[in-house]
Amino acid sequence: KAGVTQTPRYLIKTRGQQVTLSCSPISGHRSVSWYQQTPGQGLQFLFEYFSETQRNKGNFPGRFSGRQFSNSRSEMNVSTLELGDSALYLCASSYMTGRETQYFGPGTRLLVL
Amino acid sequence: GQQVMQIPQYQHVQEGEDFTTYCNSSTTLSNIQWYKQRPGGHPVFLIQLVKSGEVKKQKRLTFQFGEAKKNSSLHITATQTTDVGTYFCADQAGTALIFGKGTTLSVSS
């Protein structure tokens, strides 16, 4: 089975721009979660989607949004980028409840200049 | 909000020495998951502990969940250079994982 895939792997943007990251979960997995990883704050939960519905949301500003499609693929969007948004954005998929083993993708490394 | 504290932040050992990382919370943990992230890599699931006092072993790795479900530990016996990386504990809060800051292990041969 193919693992979780994320595109793009690397991205450079400037302040004020917006960005869209994509995640394809493991085949058959319906829960997709997003995490932000920075050296200072570590791994922080952004949101989780199941059946195209946001089921859980972390403590991030409204500039961070996401969605899930009927094939379980997910996208996250960050608008009005700030320097502090530079991070590794990780997507994780799990089978159904989101409480099973989470399988992480390789991440998208975003640099905001 | 819920916090998971992990110590130490860094640990350097000689190959063959043992290593332990500790995870603590002021509130009762739902269940603890442990992940390993190699340098430049992504977190990889190691194990999940659910029951109070639970102990699980994976070869040289021993995982424990405290009796009060407020702490957990990961112990590696006789470290190898392949053990380098950052080890994270995470508490399951609904469908979200609340991660500790991790312990970065370096091993010299």
Side-chain angles (χ1 to χ4, degrees), chain B residues 10-77:
Chain B
Y10 302 98
Q11 180 87 58
H12 176 79
V13 299
Q14 295 286 322
E15 192 173 20
E17 293 182 334
D18 292 355
F19 160 76
T20 305
T21 173
Y22 300 91
C23 188
N24 299 288
S25 173
S26 58
T27 59
T28 302
L29 299 162
S30 173
N31 66 63
I32 277 288
Q33 299 184 19
W34 285 91
Y35 290 80
K36 176 183 179 181
Q37 185 173 22
R38 295 181 187 274
H42 56 275
V44 174
F45 175 81
L46 293 176
I47 209 155
Q48 176 173 283
L49 304 172
V50 179
K51 300 176 183 176
S52 165
E54 191 168 16
V55 178
K56 288 188 177 180
K57 292 189 177 184
Q58 288 180 350
K59 297 182 180 178
R60 297 178 293 104
L61 278 61
T62 303
F63 304 84
Q64 294 190 343
F65 203 3
E67 292 290 343
K69 298 185 74 173
K70 289 189 174 183
N71 59 76
S72 180
S73 65
L74 158 60
H75 179 82
I76 301 178
T77 303

Side-chain angles (χ1 to χ4, degrees), chain A residues 9-31:
Chain A
R9 293 293 311 278
Y10 304 93
L11 207 49
I12 300 175
K13 292 285 187 179
T14 55
R15 278 182 301 173
Q17 288 186 310
Q18 75 164 18
V19 66
T20 299
L21 312 180
S22 180
C23 171
S24 291
I26 290 172
S27 177
H29 284 192
R30 294 174 61 188
S31 169

Side-chain angles (χ1 to χ4, degrees), chain A residues 30-33 45 47-57 68 94-100, chain B residues 94-95:
Chain A
R30 294 174 61 188
S31 169
V32 175
S33 300
F45 172 76
F47 26 66
E48 185 253 350
Y49 286 87
F50 175 81
S51 287
E52 302 176 66
T53 300
Q54 187 180 87
R55 199 162 54 174
N56 200 351
K57 187 178 189 304
Q68 186 181 34
S94 64
Y95 177 59
M96 183 77 71
T97 69
R99 297 180 66 86
E100 313 97 341
Chain B
T95 57

Side-chain angles (χ1 to χ4, degrees), chain A residues 70-113:
Chain A
S70 58
N71 62 357
S72 295
R73 189 177 70 85
S74 177
E75 289 181 347
M76 70 162 281
N77 183 274
V78 188
S79 63
T80 319
L81 284 166
E82 300 176 0
L83 296 179
D85 296 333
S86 295
L88 179 65
Y89 290 89
L90 292 157
C91 163
S93 77
S94 64
Y95 177 59
M96 183 77 71
T97 69
R99 297 180 66 86
E100 313 97 341
T101 300
Q102 304 243 356
Y103 295 88
F104 282 83
T108 294
R109 189 163 295 280
L110 172 65
L111 177 60
V112 181
L113 301 176

